[in-house]
Amino acid sequence: MNFTHLNIQTNYAMNGSNIRIEELVQTAVSYGYSCLAITDPHLYGAVKFYKACKKHNIKPLIGLRLMVEGLFPDSTNTLLVYAKNQKGYSNLLKLASISSQRPLTFTELKQRNQGIIGIVVTDQSEVYGAYQNQQKQVINEFVSWLNTHLEEGYVGLSKDMEFNTYMNGKVPLVAIPPVRYMHKEDRDVMDVLRQIFNVQSQDVLGQVTNASFTRKEDVQRQFKGFDKAIETAHNIAESCMIELDFNTTHLPAYPIKQEVSAKDYLSALAHKGLAKRLHQQSVDKKQYVDRLNYELSVIDSMGYNDYFLIVWDFVRYAKQQGVLVGPGRGSAAASLVSYCLGITNVDSLEYNLVFERFLNPERITLPDIDMDLPDDKRDDIIRYVRDLYGMNNVSMICTFGTFLSKSAIRDTARILGVEGILLNQIIKETNNFSNIKDMIQESTVIQNMMTQSPQAKELLMIASKIEGLHRHVSTHAAGIIVTGDDMTNYTAVQPGLLDMFQTQYEAKDLESLGLLKIDFLGLRNLTSIDRIVSMIQEETNEVIDIYKIPLDDAKTYELLRRVETTGIFQLESKGMRRLIGDMQMVEFEDIVTVLALFRPGPMDNISTYIKRRFKEEGVTYPHPILEEILEPTNGIIIYQEQIIQIASSFAGYSLGEADLLRRAVSKKNLATLEQERANFVQKATAEGRDIAISNEIYDYIVKFANYGFNRAHSVAYAMVSYWMAYLKANFPKYFISVLTSSVIGSESQMREYVFESNKLGVKIVKPSVNYSTAIFQPEGDTLRFPLLGIKHLGQNTIRDLLEERENGLFTTFFDFIKRTQGILNKRVLESLIYAGALDEFGYSKKAMIDQLEEVMHFSTYGDFIGQEDFIIRDIDEYPYDELEELEKSVIGFNLFINPLLNHQAYIEKHNLLVPSTISDEHLNTEIRLVGVLTSVRQITTKRNQPMAFVTLQDEYVKLSGVLFSRIYEQLQDVVVKGHVFLCKGKVEERKGERQVIVTNLHDLSNKNA
């Protein structure tokens, strides 16, 4: 007797199943099954299940678990439906789309029943309730409903054998034992998962003794006497036959108003764009035209004319709306067509970029044009695309979050009631391992815990089986799918963000089905650039076209040579700063280089590159062709395009073939490497090259194949880096205003940017209720601290306060309290006082706080009492230490109340410096300065002696200091973080940064200066 499981839910159901698709299919094959079905409540895993079945030569049935309205109000029936043929699959996509929102109606089911097989899950249906209540008429109505609304309908066998006997002959019965976990011993895993997902306990599974994936003979024993129903399950499977198409591309057509083809329209736009780009430029225009025509011919031959028009259209719309579109991303920047259409801002010929790296006629894949947009404008452009092509043709993409080690352990512990020290020890140990199973096998700490504690053993064994399972469905961070007709012809959908649908298939599944995915990425740095440029125009009337700024600006490269890269896209990390300092940049190409070099793999060559750059190491080339290609990068392959160029120039590969070679050798498969070597040497010798040199160059390609970076991407992102560096070097006040405003709410980042502001010579001044806004507002040569940076003040409160201020500045403390009594509560007023925002009214903070309630009370009398009738007494200020704490409590750090203020008289009396007053004139001189010691990092020298790096700072500037071993041994016990010190030492410059070589320290923290 044959049988096929038709009632399997995988972990894509996210309701308690721990079944992983690959394991399920492999187990089914080992059990001798020839067919297999899954019936999750959504189609999330359908494509992966289909592919896994095909790989293991087993027939896949794509099924779905539906809720359908009942014969009576407020009742529903659970139905398992399967695609019998292609029409059925098409209807299944639509049924899944509706059921993701609510139970289906009878009408919706009947309208989409063609090619669909349906099985009623008896124990979750009205028919079983009617049987229990002996309602024969209802049973007959249900059977009639089944026959009317389904082309082919069945009722599943129940756990109640008497019901099965009663229904036998009245309706076709089929065996559908529920499968919710792989093996019998996984029952406890399912129970824990169901509680994690809050699945209701009254579900039928609470009464099923075994819901594991069983063999055929187990099913025969379970449903003894119902052989026909068991056989029917297999017959249903045998009758189903669908094929998913992974070979056809489904591109939408761009709506062209004129009566011209997409090919001609694209060509006309591209040539027009080229003429505009090359206007008044001294270049070989024929070279550009030839390259453009070649690219257009490739695009046309691959059928991608509409694709480029679609992207061109929404980029054009974005720019018309004043949205700053990124200069390019990924290999799309290698396309001259993209440049001419305005999709990118990178001249692929000027930067020697290879089109085939983007679109290879010898490897047919969809082009991949990802768009960078300001993160506050991204959604606007997506809505435009949605409205242009229609709600049903544009969709967001689903993605899935999984249980990671810590979340699997924490969630399992919560269900099992494990907490305290035991749980914390287990969580801590996960930091040393990539997954729980490895931790169990390799950690003696964990092994001892499991031996000593049955609770720990149970927790870890269950959590290890949960780790990696799907935990929740989410939305792809950037991807959008666009189709030429209804999305549900290709994928089921469900409600998503921005009043859009979201696919039930993941991005890779959608792309394998030939659908067009476009990534709209929100880049915070573009938002910052846009705001800086807008602020410059508002404040100075100077209009800056960021696309046209000169790439040879002297101030920009001076800033980069000083390594003042805080806030600059891609150039902020410590390792990158070291590389920039070593590079001593002089041109745009240097930025392109560092972005490519500072990557895993290429960074292994940084030391060699720097030595060769400064002629400290020689370069030899095995052949003059390599010298021509690699001379710009000092004999090192940095870019993938260089591998392509070497294969093309030396061995006669077409650029398309060369790209295939690059991809092949980068995988480091031994058989592939030897095959490609033979091919390379054969092609090279056909070009008249020496065999030995050919092998040497091939080895060179293999060595660097993993290291090469996409040059097109590096050039495009270098432009964003340069834009930010240019704005910082030439408009530091506006740059730092926007950057610091963007991190309000993050105390550490705001503090860092405040220091950077002072480093740039832009002083931050106190907040003021009369002059502050929600951002770091430019004010003369300074920036005014924002109201939004003060705790307890939100956007709405600030908006109301600024609206009141439009009626006139606040003249006195009493006037301010009186006019804002309906806007600000006592806690907000206290925060403003502690932050110094009311200092301009001439009273001490203590005086305003002590009399705040009294002033608030009198101000409620309105016009009956004027401020002349109320006298505010000024009293002595809080002690310094208390002021320091109060400011820190509302700003998050001390900015205007600084520990050095307590020593100001001492500093002035002895004519001492502070970190912010150190300048180039102090280089190589002995100085005395006062600063707060904010960090101490001790290291051990090669001679095994301790030395330390310290940071001394005031409210404006951080200054690095070095205590060499002899000095540090003397002062080691004196160095206390957070104390104020008088420092003696010599100022030096290292890699563009000033530092002091400390010779003595004296603790002033306990000194009453």
Side-chain angles (χ1 to χ4, degrees), residues 792-857:
H792 307 134
L793 271 80
Q795 290 279 10
N796 292 337
T797 301
I798 293 170
R799 182 198 62 219
D800 294 342
L801 176 59
L802 296 182
E803 283 181 4
E804 174 56 38
R805 197 169 75 190
E806 289 178 5
N807 296 321
L809 296 181
F810 304 107
T811 56
T812 64
F813 180 50
F814 186 90
D815 178 53
F816 176 73
I817 301 298
K818 181 178 179 180
R819 288 168 56 187
T820 60
Q821 57 184 304
I823 302 171
L824 309 178
N825 60 34
K826 184 183 176 186
R827 185 175 70 165
V828 172
L829 289 167
E830 288 173 343
S831 293
L832 287 166
I833 292 169
Y834 294 149
L838 274 63
D839 283 3
E840 59 210 79
F841 297 133
Y843 301 105
S844 68
K845 292 178 175 63
K846 183 169 174 51
M848 289 186 280
I849 290 292
D850 286 355
Q851 297 167 85
L852 180 58
E853 283 193 9
E854 197 175 351
V855 175
M856 291 177 70
H857 175 72

Side-chain angles (χ1 to χ4, degrees), residues 381-397:
I381 310 307
I382 292 174
R383 288 190 188 96
Y384 168 77
V385 175
R386 176 200 68 189
D387 295 342
L388 179 64
Y389 295 96
M391 177 76 74
N392 295 326
N393 296 29
V394 180
S395 182
M396 292 191 167
I397 303 170

Side-chain angles (χ1 to χ4, degrees), residues 702-900:
V702 170
K703 178 183 177 182
F704 287 100
N706 272 357
Y707 292 77
F709 189 68
N710 183 341
R711 176 170 166 82
H713 182 73
S714 197
V715 172
Y717 266 27
M719 283 194 174
V720 181
S721 301
Y722 180 87
W723 289 352
M724 296 201 78
Y726 175 87
L727 292 171
K728 184 175 183 179
N730 291 276
F731 304 94
K733 179 173 61 175
Y734 305 107
F735 176 90
I736 206 67
S737 166
V738 169
L739 265 289
T740 312
S741 298
S742 72
V743 297
I744 291 174
S746 170
E747 292 170 6
S748 59
Q749 281 190 285
M750 192 158 69
R751 184 183 177 92
E752 180 185 0
Y753 285 155
V754 165
F755 275 108
E756 186 69 12
S757 178
N758 289 301
K759 193 174 181 181
L760 293 171
V762 181
K763 186 177 179 181
I764 309 290
V765 296
K766 283 183 182 180
S768 160
V769 291
N770 274 323
Y771 300 106
S772 287
T773 62
I775 66 169
F776 281 82
Q777 185 66 40
E779 193 174 298
D781 293 329
T782 67
L783 294 178
R784 178 71 68 174
F785 193 87
L787 296 173
L788 196 58
I790 302 171
K791 289 182 180 177
H792 307 134
L793 271 80
Q795 290 279 10
N796 292 337
T797 301
I798 293 170
R799 182 198 62 219
D800 294 342
L801 176 59
L802 296 182
E803 283 181 4
E804 174 56 38
R805 197 169 75 190
E806 289 178 5
N807 296 321
L809 296 181
F810 304 107
T811 56
T812 64
F813 180 50
F814 186 90
D815 178 53
F816 176 73
I817 301 298
K818 181 178 179 180
R819 288 168 56 187
T820 60
Q821 57 184 304
I823 302 171
L824 309 178
N825 60 34
K826 184 183 176 186
R827 185 175 70 165
V828 172
L829 289 167
E830 288 173 343
S831 293
L832 287 166
I833 292 169
Y834 294 149
L838 274 63
D839 283 3
E840 59 210 79
F841 297 133
Y843 301 105
S844 68
K845 292 178 175 63
K846 183 169 174 51
M848 289 186 280
I849 290 292
D850 286 355
Q851 297 167 85
L852 180 58
E853 283 193 9
E854 197 175 351
V855 175
M856 291 177 70
H857 175 72
F858 273 84
S859 69
T860 60
Y861 286 100
D863 296 333
F864 295 103
I865 295 180
Q867 64 183 70
E868 66 277 0
D869 298 316
F870 185 85
I871 299 174
I872 300 173
R873 304 174 308 281
D874 198 13
I875 56 179
D876 290 341
E877 188 57 279
Y878 291 112
Y880 167 78
D881 290 346
E882 196 169 346
L883 280 176
E884 192 176 19
E885 286 303 312
L886 290 172
E887 183 190 58
K888 191 172 183 179
S889 71
V890 295
I891 291 181
F893 56 93
N894 289 118
L895 179 57
F896 308 108
I897 307 295
N898 188 275
L900 296 190

